Amino acid sequence: MSYDKNNVFAKILRGEIPCKKVFENKYVLSFHDINPKKKIHVLVIPKGEYTDLDHFHSEATEIEIVEFNKSVTRIVKMLKISSNENGYRMLSNIGHDGAQEVPHLHYHIFGGEKIGVLGG
Ligand code: AMP
């Protein structure tokens, strides 16, 4: 899939749409989901133009991949839901069967309450 520069997260990255920022560095932006499914529901996106995890792993640099993944631990520590606290769930919806809506790679981080079994 080619990258759609008009997707909503691309607009957030360009500052055309506001977001409730949680964390940002050179490689990554994290913000609260506009329609939270749990008490805590934040998204993490790489700043580069990648549609999904497979696109990211095939084209991103090592530093982009490391920074994106390490940012999850930074963010859950900031939110006080790390594995040393009550924990969280992280997932990424990918492609049609994965029910991906926004075609810019993102991790969802859910926490702040007990997360049920998948689909629960
Ligand atoms: P996915 O199905 O994994 O592509 O999920 C996309 C997520 O983006 C959904 O949970 C939406 O609620 C969220 N979302 C869509 N637009 C915005 C926005 N402007 N700001 C924050 N989150 C958004």
Side-chain angles (χ1 to χ4, degrees):
M1 192 203 297
S2 63
Y3 185 81
D4 171 13
K5 287 179 184 285
N6 282 321
N7 77 74
V8 66
F9 296 166
K11 290 179 180 174
I12 287 174
L13 284 169
R14 290 196 296 267
E16 294 167 12
I17 292 178
C19 70
K20 273 178 67 185
K21 194 187 296 182
V22 174
F23 173 80
E24 180 173 19
N25 69 12
K26 187 176 170 190
Y27 301 97
V28 170
L29 177 66
S30 174
F31 49 93
H32 290 275
D33 196 289
I34 204 166
N35 181 23
K37 307 282 192 308
K38 295 292 170 191
K39 270 189 191 155
I40 294 174
H41 183 179
V42 306
L43 303 170
V44 191
I45 65 175
K47 289 192 170 176
E49 296 182 344
Y50 304 106
T51 56
D52 58 45
L53 195 66
D54 300 332
H55 183 211
F56 186 60
H57 285 156
S58 61
E59 294 196 6
T61 62
E62 295 290 311
I63 184 82
E64 286 179 294
I65 293 169
V66 168
E67 285 289 328
F68 182 55
N69 282 288
K70 280 190 124 174
S71 74
V72 173
T73 294
R74 289 194 190 115
I75 292 158
V76 297
K77 282 181 177 168
M78 287 173 62
L79 296 171
K80 302 197 183 314
I81 59 170
S82 76
S83 55
N84 288 327
E85 292 149 297
N86 280 352
Y88 61 99
R89 176 168 299 159
M90 184 188 91
L91 65 81
S92 189
N93 297 321
I94 297 161
H96 177 269
D97 284 2
Q100 181 177 0
E101 288 172 15
V102 179
H104 182 113
L105 171 61
H106 51 285
Y107 286 157
H108 294 257
I109 297 172
F110 301 102
E113 62 182 302
K114 176 79 175 160
I115 315 287
V117 294
L118 198 60

